[in-house]
Amino acid sequence: MLRAHEITVRYGRRTVLDRVSFDLPPGQVVGLGGPSGCGKSTLARVLAMMLRPAGGALSVDGAQVRGWRQRAPRELRTRVALLYQQPRLAVDPKLRLREIIAEPLAAMGRPDESRVGALAAEVGLTGDLLTRRPHEVSDGQLQRACLARALTLDPGYLICDEMTTMLDASTQAYLVAVVNAYRDRTGAGVLAISHDEVLLDRWADTRAELTGAGSPPGMPSPSPAPL
Amino acid sequence: MKLDVSGLSVRFRVPGAVVRAVTEASFQVRPGRCLALVGESGCGKSVLAHALLGLLPANATITGSARLHAGDEPLDLLSATPAVLAKRVRGRMIGLIPQSPATHLTPVRTARAQLAEACGELGSRHTPDELAERFGLRAGDLDRYPHELSGGMAQRVANAIALAGDPGLLLADEPTTGLDRPLVERAMDVLRELCDEGRAVLLITHDLRAAERVADDIAVMYASRLVETGPAGQILERPRHPYTAGLVDAQPDRAFVPIPGLPPELTALPDGCAFAPRCPRAADACRTVPAMEDGVACWRAGHVARA
Ligand SMILES: Nc1ncnc2c1ncn2[C@@H]1O[C@H](COP(=O)(O)OP(=O)(O)O)[C@@H](O)[C@H]1O
Ligand code: SF4
Ligand SMILES: [Mg+2]
């Protein structure tokens, strides 16, 4: 279980998460919806140990997280993988796709070409594309590489933060199928964050709500006045 | 204002290769109607839009015609001089709603300053405050800097700027990127209203559901070519091209099944139908490029009876 207990996060004076508790059990796809700005991505970054909360506790399969970001112990950090909406912001533009997928293994000091090849095939990336750099491929192709990278170290928990929002329906269906197959094979827990209710209805086994005192209300959308 | 695009092709010279970004596209955008151009990322949608605005870089070669019927004389956008495009076309005849409104705005100036500048340059009939109100912004919002605006508000500022010169044709390139679903729907509804006021609207999007909400007609693009065009309801309910059928089926409220494989590289398009390697209906005939006929470019489309 990936367990967040009474997490509080503030940006300046603004409280974005106010004592929010959330459990991600293994083997399930938990859908998290809600308007933009309600703290979904902030929670995602706390769960992935990339953001230190002002208060609260995070544990991974019973182990308390005591360091954050680079200070998080590697064996905990690699248990949780995070995918973002915009793959271009999540990769080093100088690396080839093959190197992007290989990054986690390289960082562990155990490069493994055949594993990289197998992951690339799993996300539908073939030969020539693997030698390209990010600016030479489409968003969909780059997100495929990011998903392969996220799965490289067999995370027990996968957090998909608007993973397919920028992508066409076919690429979305493909990536979701890859994530589901990974879940079926490994029993990983998946947090599917999206503002697309239709997608969550189809994808998630269960749904979670973010309720906390700090959640801002939805933006008003006044109707346009005639000129 | 009516736009009549015929045989539009765009190629880019890059080291060691030619990118065929748009191939023989023909379509019309009419007053009071919204045409949605849909297709996956990299298929050539933005290049097509930029060609219409004269915003392509120097390594591009453009052929075909894109006639804008505004006054008595139609104006061919593809052969117009840069000066004509800058002084008469962009902002005055064609308004561009940019792909990412937030990054399109200048970070160091307030929304009001940027809107006022657009109004001044384009000789707008409206004040910044009138335009702001039109798009659901409060006067106070205009005094903010871009980084202080939410995605939805930045979108509204971009809309207001695009409309400052009262253009008859609106071009919206992925205007909903990064917006959540309620804001997507609201942005689409605003486009629809602008269209209902008599403007012609060309919406470019990868989001079929957004297209469905606003478009009268849909044109489906695959690997640089339009492969199917027609009324939105027909395209989404009775797609005839196998690629369109695959896209429609991939939606989460349909079969949610992806189209197998990846689109071809635009530097190495296969001979014949570019969809053939992924197409469940491919046959020998598909080794020749299918012409667009009766709204579909496929040798084996289940043709419906001609009206
Ligand atoms: N200046 C350029 N030089 C070379 N290739 C380009 C240039 N601009 C765009 N392209 C290529 O043209 C193709 C179509 O791109 P684009 O129109 O942006 O796709 P879409 O908008 O459908 O996502 C892509 O393969 C892209 O890499
Ligand atoms: S022309 Fe042939 S390969 Fe192309 S879409 Fe039609 S059936 Fe498929
Ligand atoms: Mg584009």
Side-chain angles (χ1 to χ4, degrees):
Chain A
M1 184 87 82
L2 180 61
R3 170 163 281 177
H5 183 68
E6 299 202 340
I7 297 287
T8 296
V9 174
R10 297 194 190 93
Y11 295 124
R13 286 203 324 251
R14 199 166 141 233
T15 301
V16 181
L17 297 178
D18 187 6
R19 285 159 290 147
V20 168
S21 294
F22 173 81
D23 283 348
L24 181 60
Q28 285 202 18
V29 179
V30 176
L32 178 60
S36 64
C38 77
K40 302 188 296 294
S41 294
T42 301
L43 178 67
R45 289 171 59 219
V46 171
L47 292 174
M49 290 158 254
M50 310 217 359
L51 178 71
R52 179 193 199 118
L58 178 70
S59 66
V60 188
D61 299 327
Q64 283 298 323
V65 172
R66 302 198 192 279
W68 301 83
R69 302 180 67 87
Q70 309 90 317
R71 296 229 191 84
R74 176 178 281 176
E75 64 281 7
L76 291 187
R77 218 188 325 144
T78 55
R79 292 291 294 150
V80 186
L82 174 61
L83 276 151
Y84 303 92
Q85 172 171 345
Q86 297 211 27
R88 281 185 205 282
L89 305 179
V91 299
D92 179 342
K94 295 186 296 297
L95 297 183
R96 298 174 190 281
L97 296 203
R98 179 191 301 287
E99 295 158 349
I100 290 171
I101 300 172
E103 265 178 312
L105 285 166
M108 303 281 287
R110 46 185 178 92
D112 182 345
E113 274 302 302
S114 70
R115 172 110 177 101
V116 170
L119 283 161
E122 188 172 345
V123 297
L125 290 176
T126 45
D128 175 42
L129 284 170
L130 293 175
T131 64
R132 308 262 186 95
R133 296 202 166 82
H135 72 273
E136 298 168 313
V137 301
S138 68
D139 288 333
Q141 289 162 346
L142 198 55
Q143 191 66 297
R144 286 169 193 253
C146 288
L147 177 55
R149 177 177 66 179
L151 300 183
T152 307
L153 299 179
D154 293 317
Y157 302 93
L158 188 60
I159 297 167
C160 306
D161 187 3
E162 305 280 0
M163 172 180 77
T164 60
T165 301
M166 297 186 52
L167 308 178
D168 64 282
S170 176
T171 309
Q172 167 171 278
Y174 188 91
L175 294 182
V176 168
V178 171
V179 169
N180 286 351
Y182 176 78
R183 188 272 309 258
D184 293 345
R185 194 168 74 234
T186 64
V190 176
L191 175 58
I193 299 177
S194 176
H195 51 63
D196 185 346
E197 290 295 315
V198 178
L199 173 63
L200 291 184
D201 279 346
R202 185 63 178 256
W203 188 9
D205 303 315
T206 60
R207 295 290 287 267
E209 293 300 326
L210 263 194
T211 42
S215 313
M219 273 221 318
S221 41
S223 112
L227 270 181
Chain B
M1 186 147 337
K2 182 175 139 218
L3 174 69
D4 204 337
V5 174
S6 173
L8 170 60
S9 297
V10 180
R11 278 150 200 241
F12 295 106
R13 271 167 285 106
V14 293
V18 173
V19 181
R20 290 198 279 172
V22 180
T23 309
E24 287 166 37
S26 299
F27 59 91
Q28 289 190 339
V29 197
R30 283 166 287 174
R33 302 209 36 113
C34 172
L35 170 69
L37 180 61
V38 304
E40 62 203 275
S41 82
C43 75
K45 305 181 299 294
S46 293
V47 169
L48 193 158
H50 286 123
L52 298 176
L53 291 163
L55 294 177
L56 289 178
N59 66 333
T61 312
I62 309 164
T63 51
S65 69
R67 278 190 292 277
L68 197 56
H69 300 267
D72 331 318
E73 281 276 291
L75 173 72
D76 183 11
L77 298 172
L78 305 184
S79 57
T81 63
V84 167
L85 290 168
K87 291 215 176 66
R88 283 183 54 203
V89 176
R90 289 198 292 271
R92 292 193 166 81
M93 293 182 178
I94 308 180
L96 175 70
I97 297 177
Q99 178 143 10
S100 44
T103 53
H104 190 78
L105 298 170
T106 311
V108 295
R109 299 172 59 217
T110 62
R112 179 186 304 283
Q114 299 184 55
L115 188 51
E117 178 182 87
C119 288
E121 270 178 15
L122 299 168
S124 181
R125 298 192 284 119
H126 313 291
T127 65
D129 288 279
E130 281 168 359
L131 286 163
E133 191 187 335
R134 171 74 173 80
F135 289 100
L137 289 157
R138 287 160 299 206
D141 297 334
L142 283 184
D143 294 320
R144 302 204 199 181
Y145 290 88
H147 73 269
E148 299 172 317
L149 299 171
S150 69
M153 286 201 280
Q155 169 85 55
R156 293 174 209 180
V157 174
N159 287 352
I161 290 174
L163 266 291
D166 268 326
L169 171 66
L170 273 185
L171 230 153
D173 187 1
E174 300 278 5
T176 59
T177 302
L179 300 187
D180 62 22
R181 199 43 66 175
L183 287 176
V184 168
E185 293 181 355
R186 162 142 173 98
M188 290 304 103
D189 293 348
V190 170
L191 267 191
R192 187 66 242 175
E193 284 165 24
L194 296 171
C195 191
D196 289 341
E197 290 167 5
R199 293 183 182 83
V201 175
L202 176 59
L203 166 69
I204 293 178
T205 182
H206 68 274
D207 183 341
L208 281 185
R209 233 181 310 147
E212 180 172 19
R213 191 170 177 101
V214 61
D216 301 294
D217 303 292
I218 291 181
V220 182
M221 192 166 186
Y222 182 75
S224 89
R225 285 179 187 271
L226 297 188
V227 295
E228 183 166 4
T229 61
Q234 179 190 311
I235 297 274
L236 296 170
E237 294 310 320
R238 293 185 304 282
R240 292 182 290 157
H241 194 284
Y243 175 65
T244 315
L247 265 191
V248 169
D249 250 7
Q251 295 186 95
D253 53 351
R254 304 281 183 110
F256 204 32
V257 194
I259 302 166
L262 294 174
E265 294 306 320
L266 301 184
T267 45
L269 288 177
D271 294 333
C273 176
F275 191 59
R278 308 173 74 183
C279 181
R281 288 190 230 162
D284 281 352
C286 310
R287 281 186 226 149
T288 324
V289 176
M292 175 70 83
E293 201 182 303
D294 194 21
V296 62
C298 169
W299 294 119
R300 313 198 64 205
H303 281 255
V304 296
R306 280 162 204 259

